[in-house]
Amino acid sequence: MSQYIMKGGLPLTGEVNISGAKNAALGIIAGAILTDEDVHIDNVPDVRDTNIMLEAMKELGASVERIDRNTVRINTSSIRNAAIDDDYLRMMRASYYFIGALLGKHHEAEVPLPGGCVIGSRPIDQHVKGFRALGAKIHIENGNVIAKADRLVGDEIYLDKVSVGATINIMMAAVLAEGRTIIGNAAKEPHIVDMANFLNSMGANIRGAGTDVIRIKGVNKLHGTEYSIIPDQIEAGTFMCAAAITKGDVTVKNIIPKHMESVSAKLEEVGCTVIEYDDAIRVIGPEVIKPANIMTLPYPGFPTDMQPQITTLLALSSGTSMVVESIFDSRFKYVDELIRMGADIRVEGNIAVVNGINEFSPAQITAPDLRAGAALVLAGLAADGITIVNEIEFIQRGYEHFEKKLAELGATIDIVDSEREAKKFAMKVG
Ligand code: EPZ
């Protein structure tokens, strides 16, 4: 299993280009099923999860042409069966987007029940609630979600919980349904708006995305489109935290600063200098990191996908911070790894009490999931000495060429696949 190996203790400086948003790309790739015409998508991040989705599209019978690393042309007119049986998909949550897309277009779907992950149980009851409201019959058989509908008719659906996945999935199932659908208590993340804009560029009639009430008027057919995916707000936030934790000076480019407001505000609160430009943000890390309290909330609140990164930063603050994870029920598994680097953090349920320490001590640690893995790399970059992070496949699910982008900012980091390579790296960096 590959590992990241790094020699931390140096400030990151320079500019980094942010890739397309993984969590927008996953819904948009599946959304290509809703038309028989060509869908041309650019700014697709070249990461494991989007590549798995594209492979799954091919398995369904779609033609998927990779124009370049970040651009694809998809045509799904040749899809015959609406059943996917792919072990990869079982591991990836976003497989659920095939249910909404196949149901919306073909009125049937058979998709592996999405894998959970270490951050908590991840039911899809709100997705199912929406599909049933539109007239679909849904049941689980042999670990697959099986959906069928004679007709799909618009309805009013009020989500019991704000859910990104359910909001996107119900939009896809409703755009070709008869009549109007209203989604109440809808998620408002930037990738929800991106998904609605993508579907509207295909001729859908969706209003209100980005607010908590989305109104959809069913249309008969969707046409092809050319669409560019928004920048990844979480990748941007991760690099902003990297600047802060290494006392560096980094400008994240090709971003939408409005999407970063809660992260920018928190970094200013802990002492960073944050300078906004039209499509970039510069973060200068502070000499002393001040403590702060965090509660993760649906957008525009502080994003749960930035919780491990900000907690890792606060672990080096000059005081005590409290972090409340209100979205997922066990998203602090990585704290044990930070404690192995000397962190003083106590987790009680979904609350972490973080007593700042002066510095991390380098160690060999293991990524438990995607965002926590990225946070552990930030910890390694802050620690003076050699840190190794195991299980980096998790990180490669959502960060395009993470180590290359960090190295371009001055980080001494590489991927190694053996003890011998690790020793060679250590010798080389001294
Ligand atoms: C999406 O997951 C993202 N994944 C997650 O990012 C992100 O953390 C999450 O949204 C919140 O922003 C993708 O977009 C592929 P939810 P999703 O439905 O859609 C509960 C990453 O790091 N819930 O908004 O699964 C759920 O258990 C990943 O990129 C139900 O109870 O999140 C959670 O507690 C990690 N029933 C809360 O709602 C449902 O039917 C929010 O989940 C659906 C969700």
Side-chain angles (χ1 to χ4, degrees):
M1 302 293 255
S2 302
Q3 301 166 312
Y4 282 140
I5 186 166
M6 65 210 81
K7 182 172 189 300
L10 298 171
L12 296 187
T13 57
E15 297 182 344
V16 60
N17 286 316
I18 296 304
S19 302
K22 164 182 83 85
N23 292 344
L26 296 172
I28 286 169
I29 289 168
I33 289 172
L34 292 161
T35 178
D36 289 333
E37 298 176 17
D38 279 3
V39 172
H40 186 281
I41 314 167
D42 68 31
N43 207 30
V44 179
D46 176 16
V47 295
R48 195 159 165 268
D49 277 5
T50 48
N51 292 334
I52 290 173
M53 281 295 265
L54 291 169
E55 284 309 309
M57 287 289 265
K58 285 186 201 159
E59 246 188 59
L60 265 175
S63 83
V64 176
E65 187 194 343
R66 204 95 196 215
I67 313 272
D68 65 35
R69 195 177 87 187
N70 301 112
T71 310
V72 290
R73 182 180 297 117
I74 301 173
N75 184 300
T76 65
S77 54
S78 49
I79 285 183
R80 287 291 162 265
N81 74 330
I84 291 195
D85 180 5
D86 179 318
D87 290 342
Y88 272 118
L89 284 186
R90 278 182 184 73
M91 290 183 292
M92 185 178 70
R93 176 114 180 113
S95 53
Y96 53 46
Y97 286 142
F98 285 117
I99 310 170
L102 290 166
L103 186 63
K105 180 72 166 49
H106 299 285
H107 288 190
E108 62 176 347
E110 183 173 333
V111 178
L113 194 61
C117 53
V118 76
I119 62 178
S121 67
R122 300 183 67 181
I124 60 165
D125 56 300
Q126 298 302 300
H127 303 235
V128 171
K129 172 179 180 176
F131 298 148
R132 283 184 172 144
L134 296 173
K137 297 218 176 346
I138 312 266
H139 70 281
I140 310 283
E141 203 174 291
N142 307 327
N144 290 325
V145 179
I146 297 175
K148 272 196 178 20
D150 300 331
R151 292 171 64 205
L152 290 172
V153 180
D155 197 350
E156 287 206 28
I157 300 153
Y158 192 86
L159 295 179
D160 304 333
K161 266 184 128 168
V162 175
S163 161
V164 167
T167 303
I168 288 178
N169 239 345
I170 296 166
M171 274 202 286
M172 287 198 282
V175 284
L176 294 169
E178 299 162 43
R180 291 172 184 282
T181 297
I182 296 177
I183 307 173
N185 199 22
K188 300 184 272 194
E189 273 69 6
H191 31 293
I192 302 284
V193 178
D194 210 27
M195 186 70 195
N197 291 340
F198 165 72
L199 293 171
N200 283 341
S201 78
M202 293 161 78
N205 184 332
I206 303 173
R207 298 287 172 269
T211 74
D212 43 17
V213 181
I214 296 177
R215 297 172 194 287
I216 301 157
K217 195 161 164 295
V219 296
N220 294 327
K221 190 170 170 299
L222 294 185
H223 52 71
T225 185
E226 296 212 358
Y227 195 77
S228 186
I229 290 174
I230 55 167
D232 193 311
Q233 102 192 101
I234 304 302
E235 185 195 17
T238 303
F239 278 98
M240 289 162 71
C241 280
I245 204 168
T246 61
K247 300 182 173 36
D249 181 347
V250 171
T251 301
V252 291
K253 298 179 69 180
N254 304 335
I255 64 160
I256 300 171
K258 172 131 188 66
H259 293 168
M260 306 312 303
E261 281 178 343
S262 61
V263 176
S264 299
K266 205 42 84 171
L267 289 178
E268 280 184 325
E269 191 182 327
V270 303
C272 295
T273 303
V274 180
I275 305 161
E276 270 190 22
Y277 304 91
D278 287 348
D279 62 354
I281 294 180
R282 181 181 174 195
V283 176
I284 302 169
E287 262 318 300
V288 175
I289 299 162
K290 289 185 267 184
N293 295 326
I294 304 281
M295 174 177 277
T296 62
L297 286 168
Y299 190 85
F302 191 88
T304 175
D305 290 351
M306 282 297 304
Q307 181 261 93
Q309 299 91 315
I310 199 79
T311 303
T312 301
L313 177 65
L314 293 170
L316 296 178
S317 84
S318 58
T320 298
S321 310
M322 185 131 95
V323 180
V324 180
E325 171 54 60
S326 73
I327 308 289
F328 289 107
D329 48 22
S330 65
R331 198 165 198 171
F332 285 117
K333 288 255 183 336
Y334 65 94
V335 166
D336 293 337
E337 300 301 302
L338 288 181
I339 290 170
R340 299 187 59 237
M341 297 180 78
D344 176 0
I345 304 175
R346 205 178 66 252
V347 175
E348 302 284 340
N350 69 338
I351 298 175
V353 178
V354 185
N355 296 312
I357 59 171
N358 287 329
E359 58 183 9
F360 287 125
S361 60
Q364 177 150 357
I365 47 186
T366 299
D369 66 76
L370 162 57
R371 304 302 176 184
L376 294 179
V377 170
L378 300 193
L381 292 173
D384 191 3
I386 303 267
T387 290
I388 290 179
V389 177
N390 302 320
E391 308 283 340
I392 65 170
E393 291 71 24
F394 280 118
I395 303 170
Q396 292 167 327
R397 289 181 63 164
Y399 288 90
E400 186 177 79
H401 303 294
F402 194 39
E403 73 290 345
K404 281 200 186 76
K405 292 190 180 186
L406 288 167
E408 281 163 14
L409 292 171
T412 307
I413 183 170
D414 207 345
I415 293 182
V416 291
D417 288 301
S418 67
E419 186 76 28
R420 198 173 60 80
E421 283 181 21
K423 284 205 170 72
K424 253 172 73 179
F425 176 92
M427 299 277 283
K428 189 173 73 177
V429 303

